């Protein structure tokens, strides 16, 4: 027995970690470097889902009906696909044979010429994984007994798969990238007075993309809901959106030791720039209760 209620007894979970570091002198007693890198891919078992679509016979029947919006029909078939066999009306939540005709509206009205369209279930399994990268680099340079330079760089990147959209053509990698870079200069005026100058930069970038294969007559792919089929076609409804944070910092600090006391004074300036975009449902939502409403709209 490998499954219990369609769930595997031992679902996939892979967590691997690779990396290494290297460092040493470039100039003896003067210039040193160090680099460390790590890659950590994590994979989980696929998450399942199901929608309903017309069978081959159902598509053929729809193609021969008059009054149907052919653009809408072709787009639905392109992204929804074809179900193998008709579903059982007694076991499906939407009913196996939606009535398609000019009178089958969201009010539930039906005309005698309404046609039953066989539909079936399409099961999908969306992959689930996250890839992480981390790196650190440093360089130290001793100019003289009184002056030294320090450089640091930190990288953290993550890429995960956004499977909120449907079908797989709308899956999209969500990158979350963070970087930190600093440069410091230390100067000893005397054994009791030290000056530290430092410049730092920090960047965070997160982006939810919206693949746009195109919908005739529209400049971007919308979100299409047909409740009778239990389907939502299109990218992540909340995409596109992004957040960028850029932080610049400039500091200069003097430390002065006088007897049993230490005095510190200086300057610390920060400039924060953060362009963002998040307009919910910006691509537009189009919703129909019945397949017939969609096809004759």
């Amino acid at each position: 027995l490998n499954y219990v209620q369609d769930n595997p007894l031992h679902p996939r979970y892979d967590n691997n970690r690779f990396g290494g570091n290297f460092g040493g002198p470039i100039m003896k007693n003067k210039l040193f470097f160090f680099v460390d890198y790590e890659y950590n891919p994590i994979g989980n078992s696929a998450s399942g889902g199901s929608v309903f679509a017309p069978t081959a016979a159902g598509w053929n029947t729809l193609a021969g009906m008059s009054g149907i919006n052919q653009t809408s029909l072709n787009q639905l078939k392109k992204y929804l696909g074809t179900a193998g066999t008709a579903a059982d009306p007694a076991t499906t939540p939407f009913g196996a044979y939606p009535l398609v005709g000019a009178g089958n509206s969201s009010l539930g009205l039906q005309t005698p010429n309404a046609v039953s369209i066989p539909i079936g279930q399409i099961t999908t399994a969306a992959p689930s994984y996250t890839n992480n990268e981390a790196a650190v680099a440093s360089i130290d340079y001793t100019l003289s007994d009184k002056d030294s330079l320090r450089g640091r760089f930190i990288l953290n990147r993550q890429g995960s798969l956004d499977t909120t959209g449907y079908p797989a053509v709308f899956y999209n990698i969500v990158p979350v990238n963070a970087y930190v870079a600093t440069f410091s200069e230390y100067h000893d005026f005397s054994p009791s007075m030290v000056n530290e100058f430092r410049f730092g930069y920090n960047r965070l970038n997160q982006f939810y993309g919206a693949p746009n294969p195109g919908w005739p007559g529209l400049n971007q792919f919308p979100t299409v809901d047909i409740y009778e089929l239990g389907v939502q076609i299109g990218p992540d409804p909340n995409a596109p959106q992004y957040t960028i944070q850029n932080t610049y910092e400039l500091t200069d600090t003097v430390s002065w030791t006088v007897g049993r006391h230490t005095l510190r004074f200086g300057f610390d300036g920060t400039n924060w720039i953060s362009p963002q975009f998040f307009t919910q449902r910006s691509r537009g939502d189009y919703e129909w209760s019945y397949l017939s409403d969609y096809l004759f709209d």
Side-chain angles (χ1 to χ4, degrees), residues 161-235:
L161 189 63
D162 181 9
T163 59
T164 306
Y166 181 86
V169 67
F170 297 109
Y171 295 167
N172 195 53
I173 299 294
V174 178
V176 182
N177 301 327
Y179 309 93
V180 178
T182 65
F183 170 79
S184 304
E185 193 272 337
Y186 298 87
H187 178 74
D188 297 337
F189 290 102
S190 69
S192 61
M193 182 177 289
V194 178
N195 183 80
E196 176 189 358
F197 168 82
R198 182 171 64 216
F199 173 76
Y201 173 64
N202 187 331
R203 177 179 175 86
L204 171 68
N205 181 11
Q206 182 179 37
F207 182 77
Y208 283 82
N212 186 22
W215 186 288
L218 300 176
N219 62 2
Q220 53 188 337
F221 206 100
T223 297
V224 176
D225 287 286
I226 304 175
Y227 295 121
E228 187 173 31
L229 301 181
V231 67
Q232 181 181 82
I233 299 175

Side-chain angles (χ1 to χ4, degrees), residues 41-239:
I42 301 174
N44 295 285
S45 59
S47 56
S50 61
V51 299
F52 290 81
T55 63
W59 288 122
N60 290 335
T61 301
L62 290 172
M65 294 182 64
S66 62
I68 283 181
N69 186 321
Q70 293 299 315
T71 299
S72 297
L73 176 65
N74 292 335
Q75 289 294 100
L76 186 65
K77 185 176 182 180
K78 176 181 177 180
Y79 293 104
L80 198 55
T82 301
T85 57
D88 182 356
T91 59
T92 58
F94 307 99
Y97 300 98
L99 297 174
V100 175
N104 184 25
S105 69
S106 58
L107 298 178
L109 302 178
Q110 300 170 11
T111 56
N113 64 343
V115 178
S116 296
I117 301 298
I119 65 173
Q121 191 175 58
I122 297 178
T123 301
T124 61
S128 176
Y129 62 84
T130 301
N131 295 327
N132 301 287
E133 288 182 281
V136 175
S138 67
I139 189 165
D140 301 316
Y141 184 36
T142 302
L143 292 171
S144 65
D145 292 340
K146 293 184 177 294
D147 293 283
S148 60
L149 304 178
R150 304 283 185 267
R152 301 290 184 266
F153 176 75
I154 301 174
L155 174 148
N156 281 288
R157 297 196 300 191
Q158 181 185 89
S160 57
L161 189 63
D162 181 9
T163 59
T164 306
Y166 181 86
V169 67
F170 297 109
Y171 295 167
N172 195 53
I173 299 294
V174 178
V176 182
N177 301 327
Y179 309 93
V180 178
T182 65
F183 170 79
S184 304
E185 193 272 337
Y186 298 87
H187 178 74
D188 297 337
F189 290 102
S190 69
S192 61
M193 182 177 289
V194 178
N195 183 80
E196 176 189 358
F197 168 82
R198 182 171 64 216
F199 173 76
Y201 173 64
N202 187 331
R203 177 179 175 86
L204 171 68
N205 181 11
Q206 182 179 37
F207 182 77
Y208 283 82
N212 186 22
W215 186 288
L218 300 176
N219 62 2
Q220 53 188 337
F221 206 100
T223 297
V224 176
D225 287 286
I226 304 175
Y227 295 121
E228 187 173 31
L229 301 181
V231 67
Q232 181 181 82
I233 299 175
D236 185 336
N238 289 320

Side-chain angles (χ1 to χ4, degrees), residues 16-34:
N16 299 293
R17 196 178 298 268
F18 312 93
N21 54 63
F22 179 69
I26 300 175
M27 298 173 57
K28 186 176 180 180
N29 298 328
K30 281 283 189 179
L31 185 60
F32 303 87
F33 79 98
F34 177 79

